Amino acid sequence: MSSAITAVGLRKTYGDRTVLDGIDLTVEAGTVFALLGPNGAGKTTTVHILSTLVAPDAGTVTVAGHDLVGDPDGVRAAIGLTGQFAAVDGLLTGEENLRLMARLRHLGARAGRRRVDELLARFDLVEAARKPLHTYSGGMKRRLDLAMTLVGSPKVIFLDEPTTGLDPRSRQTMWEIVRELLADGVTILLTTQYLEEADRVADRVAVLHGGRMVGEGSPAELKSRVGTEVLVVHGPDGKVVREIPTDGTADGLRRALADIDDVRSGNVSVRAPSLDDVFFALTTTPAASTREHR
Ligand SMILES: Nc1ncnc2c1ncn2[C@@H]1O[C@H](COP(=O)(O)OP(=O)(O)OP(=O)(O)O)[C@@H](O)[C@H]1O
Ligand SMILES: [Mg+2]
């Protein structure tokens, strides 16, 4: 497999705050890569660097075979980025905005019209096509935003929190679209706060914390790194009060049980680790992996 995105040694400082302190990442062509991390970890900054909007202080980046510094136009021509929304016109209709984008992307009049109609249909925006954008709901705007991204048929797509604030049905639609794009051979780098979605849709997951990548791998690899079983303590009302990852051995389980010596009531169960556990284990310092629920 060839890589669609390669970044080596990315650094970015704002004032005296080091946001990215040497980030390496590789995204294989035709895969979904999910970037996770707590608020302010630098996910959006990373996406903005990879998509030429922000210049890194150091590091090299290649996107779709184009060098970020040597050939930024080549990178821009090959990518799509959501969140360009501020640049579109709220007084124009959805269709007009898409047409505008088709012109910016140098599609001919005919090809442009065809692409716009296709995207309006695909994103369930046919009915709203002739209405001004400022009347759209959040979910409709998000769908139009993604449609705008796809006008130029990009090979690499950056989605910064594409499903935040969407209702479950719109979220589902968004993930179906991601899967279709993938089937078309597109490469996707996305950020998300919804770990179960990353688990479902991503081939590889990377966790950004304290300016560095603190974990990277397939969802299954990352989960197995946290441990094999998680001891869950339920209070008398059935609510989860504590979760302790174990290594799956009898000794590990005994140690976890010793950890709950103070628990006098309620029930105990064991479950497989989730990506939430990975996130907490990797982004909590020091390695305090036990999660208290209050
Ligand atoms: N233009 C800027 N000027 C100064 N500081 C900035 C700028 N852009 C981002 N930062 C800072 O860089 C850090 C990382 O921000 P970034 O938006 O990349 O985080 P994020 O991981 O996307 O967070 P979130 O989950 O909240 O979206 C934050 O501390 C932020 O305040
Ligand atoms: Mg962000």
Side-chain angles (χ1 to χ4, degrees), residues 143-159:
R143 292 208 299 275
L144 183 70
D145 193 13
L146 189 51
M148 300 277 283
T149 305
L150 299 183
V151 167
S153 306
K155 291 194 190 68
V156 178
I157 297 178
F158 297 98
L159 304 174

Side-chain angles (χ1 to χ4, degrees), residues 166-187:
L166 294 187
D167 67 28
R169 182 195 295 270
S170 305
R171 242 202 264 176
Q172 199 61 43
T173 307
M174 191 62 86
W175 294 125
E176 275 161 25
I177 291 163
V178 165
R179 275 192 210 99
E180 282 169 27
L181 289 171
L182 208 57
D184 290 347
V186 165
T187 304

Side-chain angles (χ1 to χ4, degrees), residues 14 17 19 37-46 160-161 193 208:
Y14 284 118
R17 181 167 158 62
V19 179
N39 291 135
K43 301 179 296 297
T44 298
T45 303
T46 304
D160 194 6
E161 299 200 24
Q193 301 288 344
L208 200 55

Side-chain angles (χ1 to χ4, degrees), residues 212-272:
R212 294 177 178 277
M213 290 293 196
V214 291
E216 204 212 307
S218 69
E221 278 165 9
L222 286 179
K223 282 187 267 185
S224 71
R225 220 178 291 168
V226 179
T228 54
E229 306 290 344
V230 179
L231 184 73
V232 185
V233 184
H234 305 261
D237 56 358
K239 272 205 209 131
V240 175
V241 292
R242 215 182 292 172
E243 297 185 290
I244 309 165
T246 82
D247 58 6
T249 63
D251 253 358
L253 201 56
R254 263 193 288 276
R255 273 197 300 274
L257 283 168
D259 262 6
I260 59 164
D261 231 12
D262 55 320
V263 176
R264 290 281 159 254
S265 57
N267 287 310
V268 165
S269 63
V270 171
R271 65 164 174 79

